[in-house]
Amino acid sequence: MMEDAARIEGLLQAMTLEDKVGQLAMIRADFDAAGSTLLAPKVADITAGRAGSVLDLRGASAILAAQKAAVEESRLKIPLLFTLDVLHGYRTIFPVPLGEAAAFDPDLWERTARAAAIEAAADGIALTYAPMLDVARDPRWGRIVESAGEDPVVTARFAEAKVKGFQTDDLARGDALAATAKHFAGYAAVNAGREYASADFSQRTVEEVYLPPFAASVNAGVAAIMPAFIELAGVPLTAHRALLTGVLRERLGFDGLLISDFFAVAELIKHGVAADTAEAAALALNAGVDIDMASGTYTDGLPEALARGLVRIETIDAAVRRVLALKLALGLFDKPYARGENALAPATVEAHRALAREAARKSIVLLQNNGVLPLSAQTGRLAVIGPLADAPGEMLGPWRAAGEASEAVSFLDGVKAAFPHTVIVYANGAHIPAALEAARSADAVLLCLGETANMSGEANSRARPVVPEAQRALAEAVFELGKPVIVTLTSGRPLVAPWLFEKADAVLAAWFLGSEAGNALGDILSGAVSPSGKLPLSWPFDVGQIPIYYGERPTGRPADPENHDTSKYIDAPNEPKFPFGHGIAYTTFDYGEPRASVETLRAGESVAVEVDIANVGGMAAEEIVYLFIRDPLASVTRPLLELKAFTKIKTLSGERVTARFDLTTDDFSFPDADAIRRIEPGEIEILTGPSADAALLTRCRVRVVTVD
Amino acid sequence: MMEDAARIEGLLQAMTLEDKVGQLAMIRADFDAAGSTLLAPKVADITAGRAGSVLDLRGASAILAAQKAAVEESRLKIPLLFTLDVLHGYRTIFPVPLGEAAAFDPDLWERTARAAAIEAAADGIALTYAPMLDVARDPRWGRIVESAGEDPVVTARFAEAKVKGFQTDDLARGDALAATAKHFAGYAAVNAGREYASADFSQRTVEEVYLPPFAASVNAGVAAIMPAFIELAGVPLTAHRALLTGVLRERLGFDGLLISDFFAVAELIKHGVAADTAEAAALALNAGVDIDMASGTYTDGLPEALARGLVRIETIDAAVRRVLALKLALGLFDKPYARGENALAPATVEAHRALAREAARKSIVLLQNNGVLPLSAQTGRLAVIGPLADAPGEMLGPWRAAGEASEAVSFLDGVKAAFPHTVIVYANGAHIPAALEAARSADAVLLCLGETANMSGEANSRARPVVPEAQRALAEAVFELGKPVIVTLTSGRPLVAPWLFEKADAVLAAWFLGSEAGNALGDILSGAVSPSGKLPLSWPFDVGQIPIYYGERPTGRPADPENHDTSKYIDAPNEPKFPFGHGIAYTTFDYGEPRASVETLRAGESVAVEVDIANVGGMAAEEIVYLFIRDPLASVTRPLLELKAFTKIKTLSGERVTARFDLTTDDFSFPDADAIRRIEPGEIEILTGPSADAALLTRCRVRVVTVD
């Protein structure tokens, strides 16, 4: 460490202003017919020390060549940092984050990040722009697919698992990636779900909802954080000194890199807070942003900003120190070519495929089932119908890194493999009569509906997050036949479709499941394993309910069907179609009452909560168990439910298993009226159960006694 | 004044704690088959001094009796304050506030309030719960009907006009009502538009959006303010000391009454911030709430709160002083029976009817017209069809006070009167074939669609603010006939109906127009006058665009159809169907470029802006002219457009009229990063035009030069 510091200071001494600004500048790869490359002007930037990091350059050989230019041809020989969006796998594609969140499985989340890091590092990548930690409650927003859903605690656990999986305990390992927690903060709250629109919420919501996952990532040692593109209440996050420096650096002690989003520094001019490049650069740097991604604003603007007195050289130096520190930590100075040196072993790739199948299987959520599932191996004839049935490329979803459609398993292929004794007939559904023809002779229909990958992800906001209208005619015609119909919904968001849920015999949320989508679906349909995924967000009944989330705050007039003047719609239910945590298995679970290890506790003390869950159905299955709290009386209002912990238990048919949760009084703390997090004395209700559906929760109470 | 103060102190000296608490307690009238009444227990409360004010008692004789009980039978002889929701007329019903806002006519707004006050005071009422000043941007919320729309400046002008109209310059007049500005603050921002749900927004939005209308009402001398039912970011407004006392009383200098909403003090227990009645009473009183409406919480809880040390007697005394001061100002001590003493003169009622017709006429917004309107007086046969065609009661809308359906003019009757030479055939549309039969023989169809009054207003949140589905089949069948179809939309909110706007020849937003609805519609359809109303809020194209409003803040990636990664939906336009300010006339206006009287100005100076508008069509008409500003560069982001002024001009065909606006640098101020309102130096763009449609605006610039 001392040695590192000395090395950094030595380099700083040797650097010109241009060298320093170069370390804060990230250049983007050029693109040609063959893919990404670096054309001569950018290579010249590298050898001249005008670039410290590179975005979107792919392939070990291209990265090696660029790194050699930096290390062997630049004056200071500072290695480059190669960065890419490795979100849910690199070559082996795992389920999209929203899907993988449905597994509620931190161990799995960590293992898939580890596998992605191994694959990406093998191609020379050293930093990924993941995990995304935007608590997301508006399915109109396309990037909800990259989120872990609506809950801050789930997202915090997701943050920890992903940071650990990408980074390991030693960033210098040749197979470790620096992680980037993004997008700080509140990007998911863009107005009316419209991409890049402004957001507006209270400081309380910053503290209660959007900050905790980032705090968890900092505690887990995340290497970098990216501010959101958007503005919050009049201040673009890229220029938000109070949140970036005040909260992240000073309060949370984050000493890693702050990397702007793509062109976000330049966009401060369009936001109307900077007159020119120099002002934009100064605003971002002074707010705490170390690296300007791709916009050239630091390169063009920081020297001028320095000349105008808008920034201090000490601020530039501090940012450079952080860049160099991460490069040192990643081992780039000592082994600049370590990443990308060794191709992946076939056994590794094979293991990652198995992991992808496991992850996809655990991500599938069985939304409803009237008994049609699991499907008998003796099914004579199965019609597989729909635009998403034989669409391996779509299974990869948005942000597929190096994933190839040719290496993905379609639902159709997966089902064929899972039902070797069944005649499978296929129709893509584009021609409805042909699809009906296929269905008419079948014993059951698997109808594969949903979104294509390009309807989800960045800049794919949908004012109508519904099952595409064109698919409705197909589905209605199929339902008319009266056959058992199993529907898969491929999507990056919950899809509003009341007409579908009314008629389908079974519906599975199949997200974008990744490379092994079809095989995972086969595992579930056949009953090889019981479905175990649960919804990481509320699934709306109607577009007009958005935003909808379980953790709403109390009203003075709770909905009462007998009383008109209570909190409800006159034309739709208050409740979502499926609540947070919903997801059914092929067996049934009975929940007991939770037991707390103590009745009262003082600030700083802990309590263990145990609850017995009995598998009273006919099949072994995993069950995700939730622990919520409710603080019924406090100095400020508290949400009706707050998730504090979750766990997954394995059960055999007939078995009773005890789930255990350990809480401390910190879990009962909340920001008071002045937004200072405190623990207040009083009763806390502890609720356990299979979802956020209040009717299914069992409960006990503890009392917090603080000592003055 | 000194005399008043002495009188108040004298009374306070004489009051027991129970007397004091009594002045802070508002009781609600009882109801029996004949209407409102006061049963014996409540009369006993009055004579015992346990009630200071009364809600919902109607009728001069009932009020006189109750007042006599207080003044002649109670120990201290303190008169009662009789209060009622007089929102848009009392006996004569004017358009609902959202409709009347469309007139953009402060003089009209004041005159209708004056008329309502005269009628209500003649029945003994002394205080109304109006105007509602909730800036409203979510049409799902039912109470948007009570608002003046989406804009803070329009709502501020509405506030001033209504306060002046209700109160006059002398509250002691027998025909003056004390006004109550409500609901402070942000009630319209309830989550997902669901009534009574929680709200969450930034302090900036408090300052920029929700506070200005209340500040205007305070400057206009409003007698009372009501906190909202809801919570804002964890704090119920009824217990929000920072906003009620910190902002209203201390910053704005409001010294009138703070009256809780109905049962809102008791509901603090359900919000989870008060354990019992004493705590709820203490929270509300300490926050600044003087009067507990109807819940009995002050009566039951304040003595106990005092005993527990939760409140101080000085706080109770201060609230009592404010109650007594308002009663004194209203002349209740000196002439307790003045209101209700004289019945309305027939000429007054007649004048109010004429005013109702004028107001309704000015509130109608012609949304689209392909030339079918005005309808020729020579039209041979007109079919008037639909559930809102012959529905006089529905015309009154929600909150109709003493309005009677039997005194309202339906569209059908109005059209009959306006087209004496036309055969009018009518069908209510419940039976589509009958409606088609009526339409088939007609030269044109007037299709009267929309909401009934009970679909709008309090606790009538709609997840789907659309033209009711049942009406769509009727409309589609009528369109099929190929006749010219003119549609009226009766509603308390903009209604999403893309299918309707595609096919109708003309559409008129007809809100709930009040007692003279039909006659006003006749005036417009016949071309007796050109329509002049304009939308006080954006009319969404799709439910999924909500909330939608013109004053959004810039994005770093403005929508660009050529660039995928810009701020837009992939399945719907960003723009509303009709923008704020939209509304067409039977003539055409040409706008010139605005001219500013100065190029630069210093803080505190003013600038006059003139713009020429030419009526280049064939008919005299009124035109509402808007002045917006845009601050392109500031220390925080500024909205893309900010309305600063509006005016209405009268033009003859061929005439050119100059509209003049006077602005000061205060109009360019905004809350800085610390939420302190400031004026910053720099350029300000001034835009004038017929609506918020940027393509229609003309512009000039001024420069603000501040002196340090």
Side-chain angles (χ1 to χ4, degrees), chain B residues 581-612:
Chain B
H582 174 76
I584 55 185
Y586 291 154
T587 190
T588 306
F589 296 99
D590 263 8
Y591 277 72
E593 300 288 331
R595 302 176 299 273
S597 60
V598 296
E599 282 179 14
T600 65
L601 64 168
R602 290 165 199 271
E605 293 182 344
S606 60
V607 54
V609 177
E610 294 187 336
V611 58
D612 298 335

Side-chain angles (χ1 to χ4, degrees), chain A residues 460-538:
Chain A
N460 290 317
S461 286
R462 296 181 64 198
R464 304 186 188 106
V466 300
V467 171
E469 284 299 321
Q471 297 176 21
R472 182 168 177 173
L474 169 66
E476 299 274 17
V478 170
F479 290 138
E480 277 297 303
L481 297 178
K483 304 274 179 184
V485 179
I486 301 141
V487 177
T488 60
L489 289 178
T490 292
S491 70
R493 46 166 70 91
L495 296 178
V496 170
W499 55 272
L500 175 73
F501 296 111
E502 239 169 60
K503 295 184 181 160
D505 296 281
V507 181
L508 300 114
W511 318 109
F512 297 103
L513 288 173
S515 302
E516 288 283 328
N519 288 330
L521 183 68
D523 290 341
I524 296 294
L525 294 184
S526 69
V529 294
S530 171
S532 61
K534 293 192 173 184
L535 292 177
L537 77 188
S538 305

Side-chain angles (χ1 to χ4, degrees), chain A residues 668-702:
Chain A
F668 309 144
S669 72
F670 57 85
D672 67 9
D674 299 319
I676 310 296
R677 193 166 275 274
R678 295 200 326 166
I679 300 159
E680 292 184 354
E683 275 202 334
I684 299 285
E685 201 172 3
I686 291 175
L687 307 99
T688 51
S691 79
D693 181 347
L696 303 179
L697 297 173
T698 54
R699 57 200 76 198
C700 65
R701 279 168 182 263
V702 296

Side-chain angles (χ1 to χ4, degrees), chain B residues 126-163:
Chain B
L127 179 144
T128 175
Y129 299 105
M132 187 180 101
L133 304 179
D134 294 316
V135 172
R137 297 172 169 185
D138 191 329
R140 293 175 293 194
W141 188 53
R143 300 193 83 167
I144 198 170
V145 66
E146 299 178 46
S147 81
E150 76 178 47
D151 187 77
V153 165
V154 175
T155 308
R157 296 296 87 76
F158 191 80
E160 293 155 359
K162 289 300 180 189
V163 170

Side-chain angles (χ1 to χ4, degrees), chain B residues 342-573:
Chain B
N342 302 307
L344 287 175
T348 303
V349 174
E350 205 174 309
H352 290 178
R353 293 293 297 210
L355 178 60
R357 182 166 180 165
E358 176 193 348
R361 201 162 55 209
K362 289 181 170 170
S363 299
I364 292 171
V365 181
L366 180 57
L367 295 173
Q368 63 184 45
N369 180 22
N370 65 7
V372 66
L373 288 182
L375 205 54
S376 163
Q378 266 60 58
T379 303
R381 211 174 164 86
L382 176 69
V384 179
I385 293 174
L388 278 309
D390 189 25
E394 301 301 338
M395 301 295 105
L396 303 181
W399 295 114
R400 54 186 66 183
E404 296 286 349
S406 60
E407 295 183 0
V409 180
S410 73
F411 289 151
L412 181 63
D413 285 342
V415 168
K416 280 179 179 167
F419 292 88
H421 308 303
T422 299
V423 177
I424 310 283
V425 289
Y426 163 70
N428 69 14
H431 185 236
I432 293 179
L436 294 180
E437 188 53 38
R440 207 167 276 124
S441 60
D443 299 303
V445 179
L446 178 68
L447 193 55
C448 301
L449 307 178
E451 297 180 309
T452 50
N454 66 2
M455 296 169 72
S456 178
E458 185 167 346
N460 290 316
S461 287
R462 295 182 64 198
R464 305 185 189 107
V466 301
V467 170
E469 284 299 322
Q471 296 176 22
R472 183 168 177 172
L474 169 66
E476 299 274 17
V478 169
F479 290 137
E480 277 297 303
L481 298 177
K483 303 273 179 185
V485 179
I486 301 143
V487 178
T488 60
L489 290 178
T490 293
S491 69
R493 46 165 70 92
L495 296 179
V496 171
W499 56 272
L500 175 74
F501 295 110
E502 238 169 61
K503 294 184 182 162
D505 295 282
V507 181
L508 300 114
W511 318 109
F512 297 104
L513 288 173
S515 303
E516 288 283 329
N519 288 330
L521 183 68
D523 291 340
I524 296 293
L525 294 183
S526 68
V529 294
S530 170
S532 62
K534 293 192 172 184
L535 293 176
L537 78 186
S538 305
W539 190 294
F541 176 82
D542 199 284
V543 174
Q545 296 176 317
I546 295 170
I548 186 166
Y549 50 95
Y550 82 83
E552 66 178 339
R553 305 184 98 87
T555 157
R557 299 186 166 186
D560 174 358
E562 304 300 314
N563 184 345
H564 178 262
D565 285 346
T566 57
S567 184
K568 54 188 193 289
Y569 298 108
I570 61 170
D571 59 356

Side-chain angles (χ1 to χ4, degrees), chain A residues 221-376:
Chain A
V222 74
I225 296 180
M226 179 183 283
F229 273 124
I230 58 157
E231 67 144 84
L232 166 60
V235 184
L237 271 307
T238 303
H240 208 305
R241 184 171 167 80
L243 282 176
L244 303 187
T245 294
V247 173
L248 290 184
R249 294 220 184 280
E250 292 171 3
R251 196 203 313 168
L252 300 183
F254 173 62
D255 60 2
L257 276 185
L258 278 163
I259 306 179
S260 88
D261 209 336
F262 190 68
F263 266 79
V265 179
E267 288 168 13
L268 292 175
I269 296 171
K270 286 193 180 159
H271 279 287
V273 293
D276 57 22
T277 295
E279 282 190 21
L283 272 176
L285 187 82
N286 289 332
V289 175
D290 300 307
I291 290 186
D292 166 20
M293 185 191 282
S295 82
T297 306
Y298 277 7
T299 305
D300 298 343
L302 276 185
E304 169 71 17
L306 197 64
R308 287 192 211 162
L310 300 177
V311 297
R312 298 185 315 134
I313 188 67
E314 291 79 5
T315 313
I316 293 175
D317 286 349
V320 174
R321 275 190 196 94
R322 285 189 283 260
V323 172
L324 298 176
L326 180 58
K327 289 181 175 181
L328 270 166
L330 282 163
L332 292 171
F333 278 96
D334 295 326
K335 297 182 175 178
Y337 313 121
R339 291 180 183 78
E341 221 162 27
N342 302 307
L344 288 175
T348 303
V349 175
E350 205 174 309
H352 291 178
R353 294 293 297 209
L355 178 59
R357 183 167 179 163
E358 176 193 349
R361 201 163 54 209
K362 290 181 169 172
S363 299
I364 293 171
V365 181
L366 181 58
L367 296 172
Q368 62 185 44
N369 180 21
N370 64 7
V372 66
L373 289 182
L375 205 55
S376 162

Side-chain angles (χ1 to χ4, degrees), chain A residues 432-474:
Chain A
I432 293 178
L436 294 180
E437 189 52 40
R440 207 167 278 125
S441 60
D443 299 303
V445 179
L446 178 68
L447 193 55
C448 301
L449 306 178
E451 298 180 308
T452 51
N454 66 3
M455 296 169 72
S456 178
E458 186 166 347
N460 290 317
S461 286
R462 296 181 64 198
R464 304 186 188 106
V466 300
V467 171
E469 284 299 321
Q471 297 176 21
R472 182 168 177 173
L474 169 66

Side-chain angles (χ1 to χ4, degrees), chain A residues 54-58 82-87 90 120 125-130 177 401-402:
Chain A
V54 179
L55 172 68
D56 281 348
L57 190 64
R58 306 260 193 109
F82 295 93
T83 75
L84 189 74
D85 283 279
V86 180
L87 260 71
Y90 181 74
I125 303 299
L127 178 144
T128 176
Y129 299 106
L177 293 187

